[in-house]
Structures are given as C-alpha cells and as structure tokens.
Amino acid sequence: PARRATTALRSRPRPPAVSRAAFVRALLSVAGTAPLAAAAPPARAKREAAAVAGTKNDPKYQACASTCMYECTKPKADEQKTRAACLPECKVKCATTKQQLQMGVPKKE
C-alpha cells in the first residue's frame, strides 16, 4: 500500500499546555479589573434614573402601563376594550405621582 503524505494539519506542533491558574493570571493582567468595575452602574445612569423617577418616562411606570394595556385590550369572550377605554384604568393602576395621572406633559416655565 502507498503511504499517505502528511498534511500541514498533522505536522503542526501542539501548543504548550497552560495551567488554569496561569491562564487566569494572564487574563486578569490583560483585562485588569474592568469586569469588576462594569458591574456597578455609572454615576450618570444614577442621575438619569433619579431625573425620570415619578415622571411619565419612568421605566417602572412605562412597564406597568404597557403590561396593563396589553392585558386590558386582550379579547375576553365576546368583548374587547379599546385602548382609549383602557387608558384611564391603567393610569390609575400604575401611576405613583400626580404627573403620571395627567394627560400630556406639563409645560416647563
């Protein structure tokens, strides 16, 4: 039988074995402490969250209103409410401030 020629894939040397500890040390030296710092929200995000708290742009209010509107407008038996009919109910259910109960956005003076 004829002998096969060795391919480039078979003739490559294997990389040296690296221990897990050496790998982690090398990874941390390259990455530094960036993964640990990424867990804390930036100060700007805290200021922005405080600025929208209690307004119509508050993420908690918007999520509640969205879920309420979905549940309210789902067809139930032979009846289905319109968004206009559901809006007052959902505002009362989700609003935590007077501004969230109002129609529109108050003018800034």
Side-chain angles (χ1 to χ4, degrees):
R3 193 167 178 201
R4 286 180 157 176
T6 59
T7 62
L9 293 175
R10 291 185 183 173
S11 61
R12 283 191 208 165
R14 289 189 175 205
V18 177
S19 71
R20 182 179 180 96
F23 175 77
V24 170
R25 273 194 304 267
L27 181 67
L28 289 177
S29 69
V30 172
T33 58
L36 301 174
R44 188 181 90 225
K46 289 181 183 177
R47 285 193 307 269
E48 289 174 358
V52 297
T55 66
K56 290 189 177 188
N57 294 332
D58 187 347
K60 290 180 184 175
Y61 172 74
Q62 288 183 348
C64 177
S66 175
T67 304
C68 178
M69 191 67 73
Y70 171 74
E71 293 295 329
C72 183
T73 56
K74 267 198 313 192
K76 298 168 187 90
D78 294 339
E79 172 187 331
Q80 182 175 5
K81 292 183 179 180
T82 63
R83 289 179 62 85
C86 291
L87 184 61
E89 295 175 27
C90 291
K91 276 190 170 189
V92 169
K93 179 181 174 187
C94 297
T96 56
T97 64
K98 185 178 174 183
Q99 181 184 357
Q100 291 171 345
L101 285 170
Q102 296 175 344
M103 295 297 285
V105 179
K107 292 182 181 179
K108 293 185 179 180
E109 297 177 19

